[in-house]
Amino acid sequence: MTTPANFNGLKPAIDPNDAVMLLIDHQSGLFQLVADMPMPELRARAAALAKMATLANIPVITTASVPQGPNGPLIPEIAENAPHAQYVARRGEINAWDNPDFVAAVKATGRKTLIIAGTLTSVCMAFPAIAAVADGYKVFAVVDASGTYSKMAQELTLARIVQAGVVPMDTAAVASELQQTWNRADAMEWAGVYTKVFPAYQLLIESYSKAREVEQTHETLDSQKAA
């Protein structure tokens, strides 16, 4: 068994008060290379991560690989869902962790738990995740909010990061770990996050909302209406 790195015997779970969200290279050009999952699903999950960071008051740091070139700009959903996100420009480094400004931005938060997603998975997510572990950070990699060019590449990357001590997760699990409880004032906003991860969840919410409306307004059922 591989032991998650830098937890020092503590439970390998995300503490929202110690977490930073790193959304790396979610760019329109790179998205065209993704083949291990449908691109719209990847895009929606990246947006969901940004939104949950906003709800949980977690700092967000973004960066892009040559966005003025073929890799393209960051998808706009990240800034839309996390307007507090800090963008760090790179000077050509493939591994974001090789950029001193990026590492300085992470250190400036004073937090030691990193939630990382990036496209491509095997490079843009894996390289900084492994480097951050080596620098003493607790690292959670959101695999289904990262994308790469083949299922084989995804599986090889997953094996590699686990060997390095990174904890792999999926987007819904990150949301649940950050949300912690439904007994909170913004519960319905969290429900909206799940609709980005599971579009069918919107149907559940619509059904629940209608049932509450019928109960509260005492709406007459169709079956009870006069012919």
Side-chain angles (χ1 to χ4, degrees):
M1 289 288 291
T2 300
T3 302
N6 305 317
F7 286 87
N8 301 318
L10 299 177
K11 181 174 66 173
I14 302 172
D15 176 0
N17 297 313
D18 187 54
V20 183
M21 185 84 71
L22 306 183
L23 300 178
I24 301 172
D25 299 355
H26 287 95
Q27 298 169 247
S28 59
L30 292 175
F31 270 29
Q32 296 178 55
L33 304 178
V34 173
D36 60 332
M37 66 187 75
M39 186 273 291
E41 293 181 13
L42 170 59
R43 193 164 185 155
R45 291 171 191 142
L49 287 176
K51 180 62 176 180
M52 66 181 75
T54 298
L55 293 174
N57 295 312
I58 291 174
V60 177
I61 301 173
T62 68
T63 186
S65 171
V66 288
Q68 295 83 13
N71 290 351
L74 288 172
I75 60 171
E77 293 92 328
I78 291 177
E80 291 167 2
N81 286 280
H84 66 294
Q86 177 184 357
Y87 176 77
V88 177
R90 307 212 298 275
R91 293 180 289 276
E93 301 92 345
I94 292 174
N95 181 354
W97 207 258
D98 287 340
N99 180 277
D101 296 334
F102 186 80
V103 175
V106 175
K107 289 182 178 179
T109 68
R111 300 183 174 208
K112 296 293 289 184
T113 301
L114 307 183
I115 304 167
I116 301 181
T119 303
L120 297 168
T121 309
S122 49
V123 177
C124 309
M125 180 273 275
F127 289 5
I130 293 169
V133 162
D135 280 352
Y137 288 87
K138 305 169 187 175
V139 179
F140 295 85
V142 192
V143 180
D144 68 341
S146 306
T148 193
Y149 41 82
S150 72
K151 192 66 177 176
M152 178 183 291
Q154 183 202 71
E155 292 170 353
L156 289 171
T157 302
L158 182 59
R160 183 185 185 193
I161 64 172
V162 168
Q163 287 179 343
V166 177
V167 181
M169 293 185 71
D170 65 85
T171 305
V174 174
S176 296
E177 205 149 296
L178 295 178
Q179 179 188 353
Q180 299 183 336
T181 177
W182 285 103
N183 185 20
R184 52 190 297 163
D186 59 356
M188 288 309 295
E189 290 190 77
W190 283 96
V193 169
Y194 293 109
T195 67
K196 297 179 184 293
V197 184
F198 313 114
Y201 197 73
Q202 181 65 39
L203 301 174
L204 184 152
I205 292 176
E206 290 170 1
S207 298
Y208 170 74
S209 298
K210 181 59 180 177
R212 290 295 305 273
E213 179 187 339
V214 169
E215 179 184 23
Q216 292 169 1
T217 64
H218 304 290
E219 179 181 332
T220 301
L221 302 181
D222 282 3
S223 60
Q224 297 173 336
K225 293 178 180 178

